Amino acid sequence: MHIRSIAAPLLKWFAGNARDLPWRRTRDPYAIWVSEIMLQQTQVKTVIPYWQRWMEQLPDIASLAAAADDSVIKLWEGLGYYSRARNLQKSAKLIGDELGGRFPRDVAGVLALPGVGRYTGGAICSIAYNQPEPIVDGNVARLLARLLGIEQSPKDKAVADRLWSVADDLVKHAVSLQKPRQRNASAFNQAMMELGALVCRPRNPLCGGCPLQGCCTARKENKVETIPALAKRAAATKRRFIGFIINWRGKVFVQRRPSGDVNAGFWEFPNWEVSADAGAAHLAKANLALGQAELLCVIHHSVTRYRNRLEMFLLRVSRKPRLAKLHGEWISLEEIDKFPLTAAHRKVAKRLQT
Ligand code: SF4
């Protein structure tokens, strides 16, 4: 079996099984670029409402370039990996300033945009322009590794190089099968991702309904469950934070995370990382009276390999405290919804409002 024999059945399967996703109804490179950046590390069903809201409010490159920073990150609030939103806006400004406002038309130009890597560049050029550029994301890597019976981890450099080379050959072959008005580079790349997402799933793949089962090495050799080999995960690290909602005359204090930090530009309640066994002495950091604090909630959240525990204390104070080391704003509970908050602190705000 030659791997090229998957092209025709895969295209046929995609024609009858592709999900109707909103960004599949357009060929606008801007809209496809936004969808591809949002889809990095994020599930399709999560992305749909974010993408729709974004496209309503920032429908083109010019509107993104001109938008206020806060409104851009507010649109991204809850999606995580916020450097993606900042890079989108940086790129929009660059396109406006240096490319006359026109989205680049070739892969080198697309790859020059901040935040665009090999996968995203290939996805934009193939989907928007039908250029025969390869793509290998997690879904495609798993699908190809199973079809070819590759037992090593797709994260190994030699394996990754091989997968990219196979994907390159396959998309070019798919285009050679193209009839007038067909867009096989776009359809084939999306078909590989779609089959990986819906059928050749990480666990319990639906081999019985797979259009490629006749040419799948892993299925033939009964290795579907062991391919691809999983790379070793970095051990999780626990971290503990203590934070305060300081309530003074119905207003609460929020501060913006500094540039260069994770989640830079987002707002949050004052908080500090403490050692696992730290006691209430940390309240003293904010020059606050210990006796007034009551525990409001404990939020557990994960950021990459960190498992964070955030203990939030509520302090009602009658005199405006002097928060010498903190720089932020006193806002009402109604105003808080307008501020882009980090995911953990948005949960805290919701607890406060209920
Ligand atoms: S037969 Fe199973 S393992 Fe092979 S490509 Fe299809 S779904 Fe994946």
Side-chain angles (χ1 to χ4, degrees):
M1 186 277 300
H2 194 286
I3 188 71
R4 284 183 176 179
S5 64
I6 72 167
L10 192 50
L11 284 164
K12 190 171 167 216
W13 175 85
F14 187 66
N17 293 278
R19 284 172 292 182
D20 178 21
L21 304 175
W23 46 86
R24 285 190 175 153
R25 297 179 204 151
T26 177
R27 292 186 197 169
D28 173 8
Y30 168 75
I32 291 165
W33 170 48
V34 173
S35 74
E36 286 299 334
I37 299 292
M38 285 186 173
L39 285 164
Q40 291 169 3
Q41 326 269 354
T42 314
Q43 292 188 340
V44 165
K45 68 173 189 304
T46 307
V47 167
I48 290 173
Y50 278 92
W51 184 85
Q52 287 170 325
R53 215 164 33 234
W54 181 288
M55 293 305 297
E56 273 162 28
Q57 295 188 32
L58 305 172
D60 50 32
I61 292 166
S63 55
L64 173 57
D69 292 3
D70 264 5
S71 67
V72 173
I73 57 173
K74 181 71 188 156
L75 281 168
W76 206 271
E77 184 188 297
L79 267 184
Y81 301 99
Y82 298 102
S83 57
R84 295 183 293 172
R86 279 189 287 277
N87 278 332
L88 276 172
Q89 193 176 33
K90 214 156 120 190
S91 300
K93 287 179 178 164
L94 186 148
I95 293 169
D97 293 345
E98 296 178 18
L99 305 176
R102 238 177 128 234
F103 199 85
R105 294 279 313 177
D106 60 8
V107 75
V110 177
L111 285 171
L113 299 175
V116 173
R118 193 177 181 186
Y119 161 78
T120 306
I124 295 168
C125 289
S126 60
I127 297 170
Y129 306 135
N130 196 39
Q131 292 171 0
E133 296 293 340
I135 53 156
V136 179
D137 69 348
N139 285 326
V140 174
R142 181 174 61 256
L143 174 66
L144 291 179
R146 285 174 174 162
L147 287 168
L148 295 163
I150 298 173
E151 297 189 35
Q152 299 90 342
S153 166
K155 292 211 172 6
D156 290 355
K157 167 108 178 49
V159 175
D161 288 349
R162 183 174 170 205
L163 296 178
W164 275 97
S165 158
V166 171
D168 186 47
D169 178 66
L170 282 173
V171 71
K172 288 180 170 61
H173 175 65
V175 168
S176 76
L177 305 174
Q178 190 171 286
K179 297 200 179 95
R181 286 198 297 280
Q182 282 184 333
R183 304 179 78 249
N184 278 7
S186 171
F188 181 78
N189 279 352
Q190 292 188 77
M192 283 207 295
M193 290 192 282
E194 196 81 335
L195 193 76
L198 301 182
V199 178
C200 196
R201 309 179 303 196
R203 278 174 294 280
N204 306 321
L206 306 172
C207 300
C210 176
L212 308 181
Q213 55 182 293
C215 39
C216 177
T217 308
R219 179 152 164 88
K220 224 173 286 168
E221 297 180 358
N222 208 16
K223 291 180 181 162
V224 172
E225 297 299 331
T226 53
I227 294 178
L230 297 177
K232 279 199 191 95
R233 284 195 168 198
T237 304
K238 287 185 182 171
R239 298 173 76 180
R240 182 182 173 210
F241 295 81
I242 288 184
F244 306 99
I245 297 142
I246 309 163
N247 189 321
W248 168 67
R249 292 187 184 169
K251 294 195 165 194
V252 293
F253 187 81
V254 290
Q255 58 186 12
R256 194 195 268 274
R257 288 186 64 83
S259 61
D261 264 17
V262 178
N263 296 337
F266 274 78
W267 293 77
E268 61 184 10
F269 301 104
N271 67 93
W272 296 268
E273 183 165 9
V274 296
S275 63
D277 55 357
H282 287 273
L283 295 172
K285 276 204 170 190
N287 297 326
L288 299 164
L290 300 180
Q292 298 168 319
E294 69 183 79
L295 183 66
L296 174 78
C297 59
V298 178
I299 305 286
H300 295 274
H301 64 112
S302 297
V303 180
T304 59
R305 67 186 179 85
Y306 298 106
R307 306 288 169 265
N308 298 336
R309 174 188 168 92
L310 171 65
E311 292 160 38
M312 289 301 301
F313 290 85
L314 181 59
L315 281 156
R316 292 180 206 282
V317 292
S318 51
R319 275 194 311 171
K320 193 174 185 179
R322 282 194 299 153
L323 303 170
K325 290 188 186 156
L326 303 180
H327 304 283
E329 290 187 24
W330 291 95
I331 60 169
S332 69
L333 284 184
E334 292 73 48
E335 283 174 296
I336 215 165
D337 288 338
K338 295 189 203 134
F339 281 68
L341 296 184
T342 58
H345 288 252
R346 175 59 67 203
K347 285 184 190 163
V348 175
K350 289 222 160 80
R351 288 292 296 270
L352 207 54
Q353 290 165 325
T354 52

